[in-house]
Coordinates of all heavy atoms in Angstrom, one line a residue:
M257 N -18.1 1.0 0.9 CA -16.9 1.0 1.7 C -15.7 1.2 0.7 O -15.9 1.5 -0.4 CB -16.7 -0.4 2.4 CG -17.6 -0.6 3.5 SD -17.2 -2.1 4.4 CE -16.0 -1.4 5.5
A258 N -14.5 1.1 1.2 CA -13.3 1.3 0.5 C -12.2 0.5 1.1 O -12.3 -0.1 2.1 CB -13.0 2.8 0.5
I259 N -11.1 0.5 0.3 CA -9.8 0.0 0.9 C -9.1 1.1 1.5 O -8.9 2.2 0.9 CB -9.0 -0.6 -0.3 CG1 -9.7 -1.9 -0.9 CG2 -7.6 -1.0 0.2 CD1 -9.1 -2.4 -2.2
R260 N -8.6 0.9 2.7 CA -7.9 2.0 3.4 C -6.4 1.6 3.3 O -6.0 0.5 3.6 CB -8.3 2.0 4.9 CG -7.6 3.2 5.6 CD -8.1 3.4 7.0 NE -7.8 2.2 7.8 CZ -8.6 1.8 8.8 NH1 -9.7 2.4 9.1 NH2 -8.3 0.7 9.4
V261 N -5.6 2.6 2.8 CA -4.2 2.4 2.7 C -3.6 3.3 3.8 O -3.7 4.5 3.8 CB -3.6 2.8 1.3 CG1 -2.1 2.6 1.2 CG2 -4.4 2.0 0.2
E262 N -2.9 2.7 4.7 CA -2.3 3.4 5.9 C -0.7 3.5 5.7 O -0.1 2.5 5.2 CB -2.6 2.7 7.2 CG -4.1 2.6 7.4 CD -4.4 1.8 8.7 OE1 -3.7 2.1 9.7 OE2 -5.3 0.9 8.7
F263 N -0.1 4.6 6.1 CA 1.3 4.8 5.9 C 2.0 4.9 7.3 O 1.5 5.6 8.1 CB 1.5 6.0 5.1 CG 0.8 6.0 3.8 CD1 -0.4 6.7 3.6 CD2 1.3 5.3 2.7 CE1 -1.1 6.7 2.4 CE2 0.6 5.2 1.5 CZ -0.6 6.0 1.4
Y264 N 3.1 4.2 7.4 CA 3.9 4.3 8.6 C 5.4 4.5 8.3 O 5.9 4.1 7.2 CB 3.8 3.0 9.4 CG 2.3 2.7 9.9 CD1 1.4 2.0 9.1 CD2 1.9 3.3 11.1 CE1 0.1 1.8 9.5 CE2 0.6 3.2 11.5 CZ -0.3 2.4 10.7 OH -1.6 2.2 11.1
G265 N 6.1 5.1 9.2 CA 7.6 5.3 9.0 C 7.9 6.1 7.8 O 7.3 7.2 7.5
L266 N 8.8 5.6 7.0 CA 9.3 6.3 5.8 C 8.1 6.6 4.8 O 8.0 7.6 4.2 CB 10.4 5.5 5.1 CG 10.9 6.0 3.8 CD1 11.6 7.3 3.9 CD2 11.8 5.0 3.1
A267 N 7.2 5.6 4.7 CA 6.1 5.8 3.8 C 5.2 7.0 4.2 O 4.8 7.8 3.4 CB 5.2 4.5 3.8
R268 N 5.0 7.2 5.5 CA 4.3 8.3 6.0 C 5.0 9.6 5.7 O 4.4 10.6 5.3 CB 3.9 8.2 7.5 CG 3.1 9.4 8.0 CD 2.6 9.2 9.4 NE 1.6 8.2 9.5 CZ 0.7 8.1 10.4 NH1 0.6 9.0 11.3 NH2 -0.2 7.1 10.4
Q269 N 6.3 9.6 5.9 CA 7.1 10.8 5.7 C 7.0 11.2 4.2 O 6.8 12.4 3.9 CB 8.6 10.6 6.0 CG 8.9 10.7 7.4 CD 10.4 10.5 7.6 OE1 11.0 9.6 7.1 NE2 11.0 11.5 8.3
R270 N 7.1 10.3 3.3 CA 7.1 10.5 1.9 C 5.7 10.9 1.4 O 5.5 11.7 0.5 CB 7.6 9.4 1.1 CG 9.1 9.0 1.4 CD 10.0 10.2 1.0 NE 11.4 9.8 1.3 CZ 12.2 10.5 2.0 NH1 11.8 11.7 2.5 NH2 13.4 10.1 2.1
A271 N 4.6 10.2 2.0 CA 3.3 10.4 1.5 C 2.7 11.8 2.0 O 2.0 12.4 1.3 CB 2.4 9.3 2.1
G272 N 3.2 12.2 3.2 CA 2.7 13.5 3.8 C 1.3 13.3 4.4 O 0.7 14.3 4.8
V273 N 0.8 12.1 4.4 CA -0.5 11.9 5.1 C -0.5 10.5 5.8 O 0.4 9.7 5.5 CB -1.7 11.8 4.0 CG1 -1.9 13.2 3.4 CG2 -1.5 10.7 3.0
G274 N -1.4 10.3 6.7 CA -1.4 9.0 7.4 C -2.2 7.9 6.7 O -1.9 6.7 6.9
E275 N -3.1 8.3 5.9 CA -3.9 7.3 5.1 C -4.7 7.9 4.0 O -4.9 9.1 4.0 CB -4.8 6.5 6.1 CG -6.0 7.3 6.6 CD -6.9 6.5 7.6 OE1 -6.4 5.9 8.5 OE2 -8.1 6.5 7.3
I276 N -5.1 7.0 3.0 CA -6.0 7.4 2.0 C -6.9 6.2 1.8 O -6.7 5.1 2.3 CB -5.2 7.7 0.6 CG1 -4.5 6.5 0.1 CG2 -4.3 8.9 0.8 CD1 -3.9 6.7 -1.3
E277 N -8.0 6.5 1.0 CA -9.0 5.4 0.7 C -9.0 5.3 -0.8 O -8.9 6.3 -1.6 CB -10.3 5.7 1.2 CG -10.4 5.6 2.7 CD -11.9 5.7 3.2 OE1 -12.8 6.0 2.5 OE2 -12.0 5.5 4.4
I278 N -9.2 4.0 -1.2 CA -9.2 3.7 -2.7 C -10.5 2.9 -2.9 O -10.8 1.9 -2.1 CB -8.0 2.9 -3.1 CG1 -6.8 3.8 -3.0 CG2 -8.1 2.3 -4.5 CD1 -5.5 3.1 -3.3
A279 N -11.2 3.2 -3.9 CA -12.4 2.4 -4.3 C -12.0 1.1 -5.0 O -11.2 1.1 -5.9 CB -13.3 3.2 -5.2
P280 N -12.5 -0.1 -4.5 CA -12.0 -1.3 -4.9 C -12.6 -1.9 -6.2 O -12.1 -2.8 -6.8 CB -12.2 -2.3 -3.8 CG -13.4 -1.7 -3.1 CD -13.3 -0.2 -3.3
G281 N -13.8 -1.4 -6.6 CA -14.5 -2.0 -7.7 C -15.3 -3.2 -7.2 O -15.2 -3.6 -6.0
A282 N -16.1 -3.8 -8.0 CA -17.0 -4.9 -7.6 C -16.3 -6.2 -7.1 O -16.7 -6.9 -6.2 CB -17.9 -5.3 -8.7
T283 N -15.1 -6.5 -7.7 CA -14.4 -7.7 -7.4 C -13.1 -7.5 -6.6 O -12.3 -8.4 -6.6 CB -14.2 -8.5 -8.6 OG1 -13.4 -7.8 -9.5 CG2 -15.5 -8.9 -9.3
G284 N -12.9 -6.3 -6.1 CA -11.6 -6.0 -5.4 C -10.7 -5.5 -6.4 O -11.0 -5.2 -7.6
V285 N -9.4 -5.3 -6.0 CA -8.4 -4.7 -6.9 C -7.1 -5.4 -6.5 O -6.8 -5.8 -5.4 CB -8.3 -3.2 -6.7 CG1 -7.9 -2.8 -5.3 CG2 -7.5 -2.5 -7.7
R286 N -6.2 -5.5 -7.5 CA -4.9 -6.2 -7.3 C -4.0 -5.2 -6.6 O -4.0 -4.0 -6.7 CB -4.3 -6.6 -8.6 CG -5.1 -7.6 -9.4 CD -4.5 -7.9 -10.8 NE -4.3 -6.6 -11.5 CZ -3.5 -6.5 -12.5 NH1 -2.8 -7.5 -13.0 NH2 -3.3 -5.3 -13.1
L287 N -3.0 -5.8 -5.8 CA -2.0 -5.0 -5.1 C -1.3 -4.1 -6.0 O -1.1 -2.9 -5.7 CB -1.0 -6.0 -4.4 CG 0.2 -5.3 -3.7 CD1 -0.3 -4.4 -2.6 CD2 1.1 -6.3 -3.2
C288 N -0.9 -4.6 -7.2 CA -0.1 -3.7 -8.1 C -0.9 -2.5 -8.5 O -0.4 -1.4 -8.7 CB 0.4 -4.5 -9.3 SG -0.9 -5.2 -10.4
D289 N -2.3 -2.6 -8.7 CA -3.1 -1.5 -9.0 C -3.3 -0.5 -7.9 O -3.3 0.7 -8.1 CB -4.5 -2.0 -9.5 CG -4.4 -2.9 -10.8 OD1 -3.5 -2.6 -11.6 OD2 -5.1 -3.8 -10.9
V290 N -3.4 -1.0 -6.7 CA -3.4 -0.1 -5.5 C -2.1 0.7 -5.4 O -2.2 1.9 -5.2 CB -3.7 -0.9 -4.2 CG1 -3.5 0.0 -3.0 CG2 -5.0 -1.6 -4.2
L291 N -1.0 0.0 -5.6 CA 0.3 0.7 -5.5 C 0.4 1.7 -6.6 O 0.9 2.8 -6.4 CB 1.4 -0.3 -5.6 CG 1.5 -1.2 -4.4 CD1 2.6 -2.3 -4.6 CD2 1.7 -0.5 -3.1
A292 N -0.1 1.4 -7.8 CA 0.0 2.4 -8.9 C -0.9 3.6 -8.6 O -0.5 4.7 -8.9 CB -0.5 1.7 -10.2
E293 N -2.0 3.4 -8.0 CA -2.9 4.5 -7.6 C -2.2 5.4 -6.5 O -2.3 6.6 -6.6 CB -4.3 4.1 -7.2 CG -5.2 5.3 -6.9 CD -6.6 5.0 -7.0 OE1 -7.1 4.0 -7.5 OE2 -7.4 5.8 -6.4
V294 N -1.6 4.7 -5.6 CA -0.9 5.4 -4.5 C 0.2 6.3 -5.1 O 0.3 7.5 -4.8 CB -0.3 4.4 -3.5 CG1 0.7 5.1 -2.6 CG2 -1.4 3.8 -2.6
A295 N 1.0 5.7 -6.0 CA 2.0 6.5 -6.7 C 1.5 7.7 -7.5 O 2.1 8.8 -7.5 CB 2.9 5.6 -7.6
G296 N 0.3 7.5 -8.1 CA -0.3 8.6 -8.9 C -0.8 9.7 -8.0 O -0.8 10.9 -8.4
R297 N -1.4 9.3 -6.8 CA -2.0 10.3 -5.9 C -1.0 11.0 -5.0 O -1.3 12.1 -4.5 CB -3.1 9.7 -5.1 CG -4.3 9.3 -6.0 CD -5.4 8.5 -5.3 NE -5.9 9.1 -4.1 CZ -6.8 8.5 -3.4 NH1 -7.4 7.4 -3.7 NH2 -7.3 9.1 -2.3
L298 N 0.1 10.3 -4.7 CA 1.1 10.8 -3.7 C 2.5 10.8 -4.3 O 3.2 9.9 -4.2 CB 1.0 9.9 -2.5 CG -0.3 9.8 -1.8 CD1 -0.3 8.8 -0.7 CD2 -0.7 11.2 -1.2
P299 N 2.8 11.9 -5.0 CA 4.1 12.0 -5.7 C 5.3 11.7 -4.9 O 6.3 11.2 -5.4 CB 4.1 13.4 -6.3 CG 2.7 13.9 -6.3 CD 2.0 13.1 -5.2
G300 N 5.2 12.0 -3.6 CA 6.3 11.7 -2.7 C 6.7 10.3 -2.6 O 7.8 9.9 -2.2
L301 N 5.7 9.4 -2.9 CA 6.0 8.0 -2.9 C 6.3 7.4 -4.2 O 6.7 6.2 -4.3 CB 4.7 7.2 -2.3 CG 4.6 7.3 -0.8 CD1 3.3 6.6 -0.3 CD2 5.8 6.5 -0.1
A302 N 6.1 8.1 -5.3 CA 6.2 7.6 -6.6 C 7.6 6.9 -6.9 O 7.7 5.9 -7.5 CB 5.9 8.6 -7.7
A303 N 8.6 7.5 -6.3 CA 10.0 7.0 -6.5 C 10.2 5.6 -5.8 O 11.1 4.9 -6.2 CB 11.0 8.0 -6.0
Y304 N 9.3 5.3 -4.9 CA 9.4 4.0 -4.2 C 8.5 3.0 -4.7 O 8.4 1.9 -4.2 CB 9.0 4.3 -2.7 CG 10.0 5.2 -2.0 CD1 9.8 6.6 -2.0 CD2 11.2 4.7 -1.4 CE1 10.7 7.5 -1.5 CE2 12.1 5.6 -0.9 CZ 11.9 7.0 -0.9 OH 12.8 7.8 -0.3
I305 N 7.7 3.3 -5.8 CA 6.8 2.3 -6.4 C 7.1 2.3 -7.9 O 6.9 3.3 -8.6 CB 5.4 2.7 -6.1 CG1 5.1 2.7 -4.6 CG2 4.4 1.7 -6.9 CD1 3.7 3.3 -4.3
Q306 N 7.6 1.2 -8.4 CA 7.9 1.1 -9.8 C 7.2 -0.2 -10.4 O 7.3 -1.3 -9.8 CB 9.4 0.9 -10.0 CG 10.2 2.1 -9.5 CD 9.9 3.4 -10.3 OE1 9.8 3.4 -11.5 NE2 9.9 4.5 -9.6
A307 N 6.5 0.0 -11.4 CA 5.8 -1.1 -12.1 C 4.9 -1.9 -11.2 O 4.9 -3.1 -11.2 CB 6.8 -2.0 -12.8
G308 N 4.2 -1.2 -10.3 CA 3.3 -1.9 -9.3 C 4.0 -2.6 -8.2 O 3.4 -3.5 -7.6
R309 N 5.3 -2.4 -8.0 CA 6.0 -3.1 -6.9 C 6.7 -2.0 -6.0 O 7.1 -1.0 -6.5 CB 7.1 -4.0 -7.5 CG 6.5 -5.1 -8.4 CD 7.6 -6.0 -8.9 NE 8.2 -6.7 -7.7 CZ 7.8 -7.9 -7.3 NH1 6.8 -8.5 -7.9 NH2 8.4 -8.5 -6.3
L310 N 6.8 -2.4 -4.8 CA 7.4 -1.5 -3.8 C 8.9 -1.6 -3.9 O 9.5 -2.7 -4.1 CB 7.0 -1.9 -2.4 CG 5.6 -1.5 -2.0 CD1 5.3 -2.0 -0.6 CD2 5.4 0.0 -2.0
D311 N 9.6 -0.5 -3.6 CA 11.1 -0.5 -3.5 C 11.4 -1.4 -2.2 O 10.6 -1.6 -1.3 CB 11.5 1.0 -3.2 CG 13.0 1.1 -3.0 OD1 13.7 1.2 -4.1 OD2 13.4 1.1 -1.9
A312 N 12.6 -1.9 -2.2 CA 13.0 -2.8 -1.1 C 13.0 -2.1 0.3 O 13.0 -2.8 1.3 CB 14.4 -3.3 -1.3
T313 N 12.9 -0.8 0.3 CA 12.9 0.0 1.6 C 11.5 0.0 2.2 O 11.4 0.4 3.4 CB 13.4 1.4 1.4 OG1 12.5 2.1 0.5 CG2 14.8 1.4 0.9
L314 N 10.5 -0.5 1.5 CA 9.1 -0.5 2.0 C 8.5 -1.9 1.9 O 9.0 -2.7 1.1 CB 8.2 0.5 1.2 CG 8.6 1.9 1.2 CD1 7.6 2.7 0.3 CD2 8.5 2.5 2.6
A315 N 7.5 -2.1 2.8 CA 6.8 -3.4 2.8 C 5.3 -3.1 2.8 O 4.9 -2.1 3.3 CB 7.3 -4.2 4.0
A316 N 4.6 -4.1 2.4 CA 3.1 -4.0 2.4 C 2.6 -5.1 3.2 O 3.0 -6.3 3.1 CB 2.6 -4.1 1.0
N317 N 1.6 -4.8 4.1 CA 1.0 -5.7 5.0 C -0.5 -5.6 4.8 O -1.1 -4.5 4.8 CB 1.4 -5.5 6.4 CG 0.9 -6.5 7.4 OD1 -0.3 -6.5 7.7 ND2 1.8 -7.3 7.9
L318 N -1.2 -6.8 4.7 CA -2.6 -6.8 4.5 C -3.3 -7.0 5.8 O -3.1 -8.1 6.5 CB -3.0 -7.8 3.5 CG -4.4 -7.8 3.0 CD1 -4.8 -6.5 2.4 CD2 -4.6 -8.9 1.9
D319 N -4.2 -6.1 6.3 CA -4.9 -6.2 7.5 C -4.1 -6.4 8.8 O -4.6 -7.0 9.7 CB -6.0 -7.3 7.4 CG -7.2 -6.9 6.5 OD1 -7.4 -5.7 6.4 OD2 -7.8 -7.8 5.9
G320 N -2.8 -6.1 8.7 CA -2.0 -6.3 9.9 C -1.7 -7.7 10.2 O -1.1 -8.1 11.2
S321 N -2.0 -8.7 9.3 CA -1.8 -10.1 9.5 C -0.8 -10.8 8.6 O -0.3 -11.8 9.0 CB -3.2 -10.8 9.5 OG -3.7 -10.7 8.2
R322 N -0.6 -10.3 7.4 CA 0.4 -10.9 6.6 C 1.0 -10.0 5.6 O 0.3 -9.0 5.1 CB -0.3 -12.1 5.8 CG -1.3 -11.7 4.8 CD -1.9 -12.9 4.1 NE -3.0 -12.5 3.3 CZ -3.0 -12.6 1.9 NH1 -1.9 -13.1 1.3 NH2 -4.0 -12.2 1.2
F323 N 2.3 -10.2 5.3 CA 3.0 -9.4 4.4 C 2.7 -9.9 3.0 O 2.5 -11.1 2.7 CB 4.5 -9.4 4.6 CG 4.8 -8.5 5.8 CD1 4.9 -9.1 7.1 CD2 5.0 -7.1 5.7 CE1 5.2 -8.3 8.2 CE2 5.3 -6.4 6.8 CZ 5.4 -6.9 8.0
V324 N 2.5 -9.0 2.0 CA 2.2 -9.3 0.7 C 3.2 -8.6 -0.3 O 3.6 -7.5 -0.1 CB 0.7 -8.9 0.3 CG1 -0.3 -9.8 1.0 CG2 0.4 -7.4 0.6
T325 N 3.6 -9.4 -1.3 CA 4.5 -8.9 -2.3 C 4.1 -9.1 -3.7 O 4.5 -8.4 -4.6 CB 5.9 -9.5 -2.1 OG1 5.8 -10.9 -2.2 CG2 6.5 -9.2 -0.8
E326 N 3.2 -10.1 -3.9 CA 2.8 -10.5 -5.2 C 1.8 -9.5 -5.8 O 0.7 -9.3 -5.2 CB 2.1 -11.9 -5.2 CG 1.9 -12.5 -6.5 CD 3.1 -12.7 -7.4 OE1 4.1 -13.1 -6.8 OE2 3.1 -12.4 -8.6
G327 N 2.1 -8.9 -6.9 CA 1.2 -7.9 -7.5 C -0.2 -8.3 -7.8 O -1.1 -7.5 -7.8
G328 N -0.4 -9.6 -8.0 CA -1.7 -10.1 -8.3 C -2.6 -10.4 -7.1 O -3.7 -10.8 -7.2
T329 N -2.0 -10.2 -5.9 CA -2.8 -10.4 -4.7 C -4.0 -9.5 -4.7 O -3.9 -8.3 -4.9 CB -2.0 -10.1 -3.4 OG1 -0.8 -10.9 -3.4 CG2 -2.7 -10.3 -2.1
M330 N -5.2 -10.1 -4.5 CA -6.5 -9.3 -4.5 C -6.7 -8.7 -3.1 O -6.5 -9.3 -2.1 CB -7.6 -10.2 -4.9 CG -7.6 -10.7 -6.3 SD -7.6 -9.4 -7.5 CE -9.2 -8.7 -7.3
I331 N -7.1 -7.4 -3.2 CA -7.5 -6.7 -2.0 C -8.9 -6.4 -2.1 O -9.4 -5.8 -3.1 CB -6.6 -5.4 -1.8 CG1 -5.1 -5.9 -1.8 CG2 -7.0 -4.7 -0.5 CD1 -4.1 -4.7 -1.8
E332 N -9.7 -6.7 -1.1 CA -11.1 -6.6 -1.1 C -11.6 -5.4 -0.4 O -11.0 -4.8 0.5 CB -11.8 -7.8 -0.5 CG -11.3 -9.2 -1.1 CD -11.7 -9.4 -2.5 OE1 -12.8 -8.8 -3.0 OE2 -10.9 -10.0 -3.3
D333 N -12.8 -5.0 -0.7 CA -13.5 -3.9 -0.1 C -13.5 -4.1 1.4 O -13.8 -5.2 1.9 CB -15.0 -3.9 -0.6 CG -15.7 -2.6 -0.1 OD1 -15.1 -1.6 0.1 OD2 -17.0 -2.7 0.0
G334 N -13.2 -3.1 2.2 CA -13.1 -3.1 3.6 C -11.8 -3.5 4.2 O -11.6 -3.5 5.4
Q335 N -10.9 -4.0 3.4 CA -9.6 -4.4 3.9 C -8.6 -3.2 4.0 O -8.9 -2.1 3.4 CB -8.9 -5.4 3.0 CG -9.6 -6.8 3.1 CD -8.8 -7.9 2.4 OE1 -8.6 -7.8 1.2 NE2 -8.3 -8.9 3.1
S336 N -7.6 -3.3 4.8 CA -6.6 -2.3 5.0 C -5.2 -2.8 4.5 O -4.8 -3.9 4.8 CB -6.4 -1.9 6.5 OG -7.6 -1.3 6.9
L337 N -4.6 -1.9 3.7 CA -3.2 -2.2 3.3 C -2.3 -1.2 4.0 O -2.5 0.0 4.0 CB -3.1 -2.0 1.8 CG -1.7 -2.3 1.2 CD1 -1.4 -3.8 1.3 CD2 -1.6 -1.8 -0.2
L338 N -1.3 -1.8 4.7 CA -0.4 -0.9 5.5 C 0.9 -0.9 4.7 O 1.5 -1.9 4.3 CB -0.1 -1.5 6.9 CG -1.2 -1.5 7.9 CD1 -2.4 -2.2 7.5 CD2 -0.7 -2.0 9.2
L339 N 1.4 0.3 4.4 CA 2.7 0.5 3.8 C 3.7 1.0 4.9 O 3.4 2.0 5.5 CB 2.7 1.4 2.6 CG 1.8 1.0 1.5 CD1 1.8 2.0 0.3 CD2 2.1 -0.4 1.0
L340 N 4.8 0.3 5.1 CA 5.7 0.7 6.2 C 7.1 0.4 5.8 O 7.4 -0.3 4.8 CB 5.3 -0.1 7.4 CG 5.2 -1.6 7.3 CD1 5.8 -2.3 8.4 CD2 3.7 -2.0 7.3
S341 N 8.0 1.0 6.6 CA 9.4 0.8 6.4 C 9.8 -0.7 6.5 O 9.3 -1.3 7.5 CB 10.2 1.6 7.4 OG 9.9 3.0 7.2
A342 N 10.6 -1.2 5.6 CA 11.1 -2.5 5.7 C 12.4 -2.5 6.5 O 13.5 -2.2 6.0 CB 11.3 -3.1 4.4
D343 N 12.3 -2.6 7.8 CA 13.5 -2.5 8.7 C 14.4 -3.7 8.6 O 13.9 -4.8 8.6 CB 13.1 -2.3 10.2 CG 12.3 -1.0 10.4 OD1 12.6 0.0 9.7 OD2 11.4 -1.0 11.2
A344 N 15.7 -3.4 8.5 CA 16.7 -4.5 8.6 C 16.9 -4.9 10.0 O 16.7 -4.2 10.9 CB 18.0 -4.0 8.0
G345 N 17.2 -6.2 10.2 CA 17.5 -6.6 11.5 C 17.4 -8.2 11.5 O 17.3 -8.8 10.5
G346 N 17.5 -8.7 12.7 CA 17.5 -10.1 12.8 C 17.7 -10.6 14.2 O 17.7 -9.9 15.1

């Protein structure tokens, strides 16, 4: 299996694709490493990912159930990471 990274809103515009897959390794992979690979594979998103962290205009959600920001968060084989616009509002 793999980790599926899905893109929505601004992230999809910049990525130019709807999703990619990343091989997680035997024990999963950290969020910061997934983001670094995304930046390396999709140059349109590189400006929005610095030092394994997302720019404030984007947010990361794990499996559609919780937002994640900590670079050390482990992402396991078969999980989905959603990158989407961080909309202002209240």
Side-chain angles (χ1 to χ4, degrees):
M257 291 188 82
I259 294 168
R260 185 172 62 214
V261 183
E262 300 177 45
F263 305 100
Y264 296 94
L266 176 65
R268 182 176 287 208
Q269 280 184 309
R270 299 296 184 232
V273 297
E275 66 181 55
I276 62 171
E277 289 190 351
I278 295 175
T283 59
V285 64
R286 299 176 306 162
L287 173 63
C288 62
D289 297 325
V290 170
L291 294 176
E293 184 162 340
V294 167
R297 289 173 57 179
L298 301 169
L301 279 176
Y304 296 89
I305 301 171
Q306 300 294 322
R309 297 185 65 92
L310 286 174
D311 182 84
T313 60
L314 296 178
N317 185 288
L318 190 56
D319 287 331
S321 62
R322 67 182 174 110
F323 285 92
V324 291
T325 58
E326 190 61 41
T329 301
M330 292 302 291
I331 303 173
E332 306 294 330
D333 190 27
Q335 289 189 298
S336 293
L337 182 69
L338 289 63
L339 298 184
L340 51 137
S341 300
D343 294 327

